Amino acid sequence: MRQLQHNGIFEGPEESRTLALDSVALQKGLYKVIVKMLVICLIADATTLEGAREAVEEATEELSLLGSLQFVGNMTQRDELLAAALHHYVDGRKVEALQQFCEGLKIVGALDALKAHPTVLKSVFLQDQKPLLASEMIELFKTGRVSGPGSNRRRMDARTIGFWQDWLLQVEDGESIQNVGDVLAFATGLRKISAVGFPTQPKQNVLHPEDGPAGFPTANTCGLILRLPF
């Protein structure tokens, strides 16, 4: 409540704040938003049934505009009234944004596809809560620098990548303080594989002795390149 009272749309001393003219706030409809928030705070501050009824009576007009005006017979009903006002305030502000979002989804029939197949497209709009698997990490990274067939470097590459993949499986099994998501974050900066993929193909390169000293894996998160020391 105190933060709202000190908003820029009010002016004057603490004990007698009055409305100030703010053309930007007026254009954005901030006055209406602040009043609605004040009404909600006023009801929430009421700790007795009598106080709740007085708060509702003082805010009758505003609650009517919110569509939340109702008789308060007990504190449970006060909580229900508060929840209804908050619901209208939060969801009501999103209506225009959601309408624009849906209009955008109508392009090439995306909205109809979303309604017809909500589970298929769920991963595009909602974060996947499943832990990242070692197999997904292994599948994601392709070997970027391939040594010649039958060469010692080719055998060293295969051995190093095999050790790396075994370690990823151990991480998945909980044998490390890290998880597979941590490893992906080290290599790409992301803990989850995006539903739309990466801008370029993530690659893994094996560093050989002639490439210079390297005791631990390194990564270029911008180039999506993971370097594995032999």
Side-chain angles (χ1 to χ4, degrees):
M1 179 76 82
R2 181 172 294 275
Q3 291 177 333
L4 292 175
Q5 290 174 337
H6 286 84
N7 189 277
I9 70 169
F10 299 111
E11 62 183 3
E14 181 79 19
E15 67 279 1
S16 58
R17 303 282 285 171
T18 58
L19 280 179
L21 180 58
D22 186 324
S23 57
V24 175
L26 187 64
Q27 184 178 10
K28 292 183 177 180
L30 188 58
Y31 286 87
K32 184 186 296 185
V33 171
I34 294 297
V35 170
K36 289 181 179 180
M37 294 176 68
L38 285 170
V39 169
I40 293 171
C41 290
L42 186 65
I43 299 171
D45 285 344
T47 56
T48 65
L49 181 59
E50 183 179 357
R53 287 174 174 170
E54 290 178 357
V56 170
E57 184 177 352
E58 292 177 8
T60 297
E61 183 177 352
E62 291 81 2
L63 288 172
S64 296
L65 292 174
L66 286 173
S68 305
L69 182 62
Q70 64 182 48
F71 175 74
V72 177
N74 50 56
M75 295 304 286
T76 299
Q77 291 180 342
R78 183 214 68 162
D79 294 340
E80 292 174 350
L81 176 60
L82 177 60
L86 283 170
H87 175 78
H88 185 281
Y89 169 69
V90 174
D91 291 348
R93 293 184 66 197
K94 296 179 181 178
V95 169
E96 184 176 354
L98 287 172
Q99 288 175 343
Q100 292 185 17
F101 189 78
C102 290
E103 285 297 320
L105 283 174
K106 290 180 180 179
I107 300 296
V108 298
L111 182 60
D112 292 335
L114 182 61
K115 291 179 178 179
H117 309 283
T119 56
V120 175
L121 297 175
K122 182 178 180 181
S123 61
V124 177
F125 296 95
L126 300 177
Q127 182 178 5
D128 188 359
Q129 299 300 321
K130 295 184 299 182
L132 185 65
L133 301 178
S135 59
E136 295 175 301
M137 184 79 173
I138 293 170
E139 177 65 24
L140 176 65
F141 282 83
K142 306 299 181 184
T143 302
R145 198 170 56 185
V146 181
S147 302
S151 65
N152 288 334
R153 288 177 63 98
R154 186 67 167 264
R155 287 190 289 270
M156 293 167 67
D157 290 349
R159 184 181 180 187
T160 301
I161 292 174
F163 284 148
W164 171 253
Q165 293 177 353
D166 287 342
W167 181 76
L168 286 175
L169 291 170
Q170 292 175 359
V171 171
E172 181 183 303
D173 290 338
E175 299 180 22
S176 172
I177 59 174
Q178 290 88 18
N179 56 47
V180 181
D182 294 330
V183 181
L184 181 66
F186 169 76
T188 68
L190 299 177
R191 294 186 176 277
K192 294 282 188 179
I193 299 176
S194 171
V196 297
F198 291 92
T200 59
Q201 173 65 54
K203 298 177 181 179
Q204 56 190 12
N205 292 331
V206 175
L207 296 178
H208 295 268
E210 56 267 32
D211 296 322
F216 300 96
T218 60
N220 180 342
T221 56
C222 295
L224 301 176
I225 299 173
L226 177 64
R227 306 182 186 94
L228 305 173
F230 174 72

